[in-house]
């Protein structure tokens, strides 16, 4: 590809972005009492917020519904055409509906608007047609009108769809902030993501259990501890009494220091262990456990239940592998 063609492509891209930014800037100054009313309608909704549109408006609508749902507002997308063939049965008077259409004159509105009025469903219109049938039927209108599309032919939805996306994001985030929706709330909607791993997982969710728990009896020797350290590879073992209560801990570092100081493998473990040693509660958040490791400069710890009985073990690698860092 020659350099003039490359320069031309860059120019096309810049012109489009400049055009869309210009139209979006006008949208900023158009937020008024209608936006406030739309937010209040959503906040007062006892059921779900239903987002509906067709074509490019439908694609944007799906994103708006997803943003609302993930930020604390129960929401789903309903295709405008499918609404006329049974899906409208998903909507009732406890819901609020957001209808998206730049012209506000889609043929489907001739059928759906009277039904929504009969159901007494509040309607939020996102449209550029301020005098359209959609705008006239709505409880509040969010004006996303533009002077021109960024498409040079003025045909492909570009600036208009960007404005629609922006107003949808503004609604979702304004309502989210009004609800006091926080990081932990967000994590519950995204349990498989890194944020969910950090904020939702507790020590018991990622710890080692069963045969993977490194432990020995308090009557054992250093030799027994060495074998258990080798078997489990955690770098730490818990020294427990007959009731499974931790009396102390012993690490591979302790073993090296003992041998360097002329200790022997026959020494009783209860004489060389660290007592009582640090232990983690099983219900402690995993992200807090990581902070403990960093603050105390340790890499592993036994885990206890509410009765202070050994139930697991965990090291810093277990936390990292669970996406907690």
């Amino acid at each position: 590809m020659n350099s003039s063609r490359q320069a031309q492509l860059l120019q096309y891209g810049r012109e489009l972005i400049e055009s869309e930014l210009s139209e979006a800037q006008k949208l900023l100054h158009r937020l008024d009492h209608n936006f406030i009313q739309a937010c209040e309608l959503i906040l007062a909704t006892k059921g779900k917020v239903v987002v509906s549109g067709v074509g490019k408006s439908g694609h944007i609508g799906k994103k708006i519904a997803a943003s609302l749902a993930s930020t604390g507002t129960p929401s789903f997308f309903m295709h405008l055409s499918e609404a006329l063939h049974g899906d409208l049965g998903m909507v009732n008077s406890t819901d609020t509906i957001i209808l998206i259409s730049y012209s506000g004159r889609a043929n489907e509105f001739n059928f759906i608007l009277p039904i929504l009025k009969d159901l007494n469903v509040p309607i939020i219109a996102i449209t550029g047609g301020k005098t359209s049938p959609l705008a006239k039927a709505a409880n509040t209108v969010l004006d996303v009108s533009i002077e021109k599309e960024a498409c040079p032919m003025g045909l492909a939805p570009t600036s208009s769809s960007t404005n629609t996306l922006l107003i949808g994001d503004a609604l979702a985030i304004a309502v989210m902030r009004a609800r006091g929706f926080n990081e932990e709330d967000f994590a519950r909607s995204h349990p498989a993501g890194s944020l969910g791993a950090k904020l939702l997982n507790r020590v018991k969710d990622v710890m080692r259990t069963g045969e993977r728990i490194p432990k020995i009896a308090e009557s054992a020797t250093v030799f027994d501890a060495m074998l258990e350290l080798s078997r489990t590879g955690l770098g730490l073992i818990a020294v427990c009494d007959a009731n499974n209560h931790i009396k102390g801990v012993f690490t591979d570092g302790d073993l090296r220091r003992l041998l360097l100081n002329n200790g022997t493998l026959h020494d009783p473990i209860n004489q060389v262990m660290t007592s009582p040693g640090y232990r983690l509660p099983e219900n402690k958040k995993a992200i807090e456990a990581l902070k403990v490791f960093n603050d105390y400069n340790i890499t592993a710890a036994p885990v206890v239940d509410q009765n202070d009985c050994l139930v697991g073990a965990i090291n810093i690698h277990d936390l990292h592998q669970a996406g907690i860092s």
Side-chain angles (χ1 to χ4, degrees):
M1 188 179 293
N2 60 47
S3 58
S4 61
R5 177 64 175 273
Q6 292 174 344
Q8 188 179 53
L9 290 172
L10 283 175
Q11 183 60 28
Y12 289 160
R14 287 170 178 152
E15 286 176 359
L16 181 133
I17 292 172
E18 288 174 355
S19 180
E20 292 200 5
L21 286 174
S22 175
E23 294 292 351
Q25 191 67 32
K26 297 168 190 172
L27 182 66
L28 175 66
H29 303 291
R30 209 178 295 149
L31 291 186
D32 55 15
H33 67 280
N34 289 293
F35 181 80
I36 297 171
Q37 187 178 3
C39 291
E40 295 289 2
L41 283 173
I42 293 172
L43 288 165
T45 300
K46 292 182 171 58
K48 290 181 168 57
V49 173
V50 184
V51 184
S52 188
V54 68
K56 300 298 188 295
S57 294
H59 295 310
I60 299 297
K62 290 178 183 178
K63 195 275 181 186
I64 294 174
S67 294
L68 286 166
S70 69
T71 53
T73 299
S75 178
F76 66 89
F77 176 77
M78 177 180 67
H79 193 281
L80 193 58
S81 296
E82 296 297 332
L84 300 178
H85 296 278
D87 283 4
L88 196 57
M90 296 187 287
V91 183
N92 61 49
S93 59
T94 66
D95 300 326
T96 294
I97 192 164
I98 300 175
L99 294 177
I100 307 172
S101 169
Y102 185 74
S103 69
R105 301 180 184 279
N107 291 332
E108 289 88 348
F109 292 140
N110 296 330
F111 303 97
I112 197 171
L113 290 173
I115 297 172
L116 293 173
K117 285 294 185 180
D118 287 343
L119 291 172
N120 200 30
V121 176
I123 300 170
I124 299 170
I126 300 180
T127 182
K130 292 177 285 186
T131 61
S132 65
L134 172 58
K136 290 177 181 177
N139 295 74
T140 189
V141 178
L142 300 177
D143 178 13
V144 292
S145 61
I146 58 170
E147 291 184 10
K148 64 177 182 177
E149 295 284 8
C151 167
M153 297 180 293
L155 299 176
T158 44
S159 297
S160 60
S161 57
T162 297
N163 274 11
T164 302
L165 180 62
L166 286 172
I167 205 70
D169 282 347
L171 274 177
I173 300 306
V175 169
M176 178 193 79
R177 296 178 70 175
R179 292 189 195 281
F181 191 85
N182 59 32
E183 282 188 339
E184 286 197 21
D185 296 321
F186 189 85
R188 291 188 186 95
S189 299
H190 303 75
S194 59
L195 183 62
K198 289 180 181 179
L199 297 181
L200 296 182
N201 279 335
R202 298 188 180 273
V203 169
K204 64 182 179 182
D205 299 318
V206 296
M207 69 184 185
R208 306 180 187 200
T209 59
E211 291 298 317
R212 300 179 68 207
I213 302 174
K215 69 172 184 176
I216 57 173
E218 57 182 333
S219 59
T221 66
V222 172
F223 180 75
D224 298 318
M226 183 186 70
L227 292 178
E228 186 69 354
L229 284 168
S230 299
R231 183 185 74 83
T232 58
L234 188 74
L236 170 145
I237 56 173
V239 183
C240 300
D241 64 15
N243 295 316
N244 213 32
H245 291 131
I246 300 174
K247 308 306 290 186
V249 297
F250 190 77
T251 69
D252 51 7
D254 292 331
L255 175 62
R256 288 193 297 271
R257 285 186 288 272
L258 174 72
L259 297 177
L260 286 173
N261 289 319
N262 299 317
T264 74
L265 295 179
H266 301 292
D267 289 344
I269 195 65
N270 60 7
Q271 292 183 12
V272 296
M273 67 185 183
T274 299
S275 181
Y278 191 85
R279 71 282 312 270
L280 286 167
E282 63 177 344
N283 284 320
K284 195 176 192 69
K285 288 184 178 178
I287 189 67
E288 294 173 354
L290 181 62
K291 185 177 186 304
V292 167
F293 283 171
N294 292 330
D295 290 347
Y296 285 82
N297 195 29
I298 58 178
T299 59
V303 181
V304 294
D305 63 14
Q306 59 185 359
N307 297 316
D308 202 37
C309 289
L310 179 68
V311 292
I314 190 170
N315 70 4
I316 197 166
H317 302 297
D318 298 326
L319 294 171
H320 290 165
Q321 287 177 357
I324 299 156
S325 58

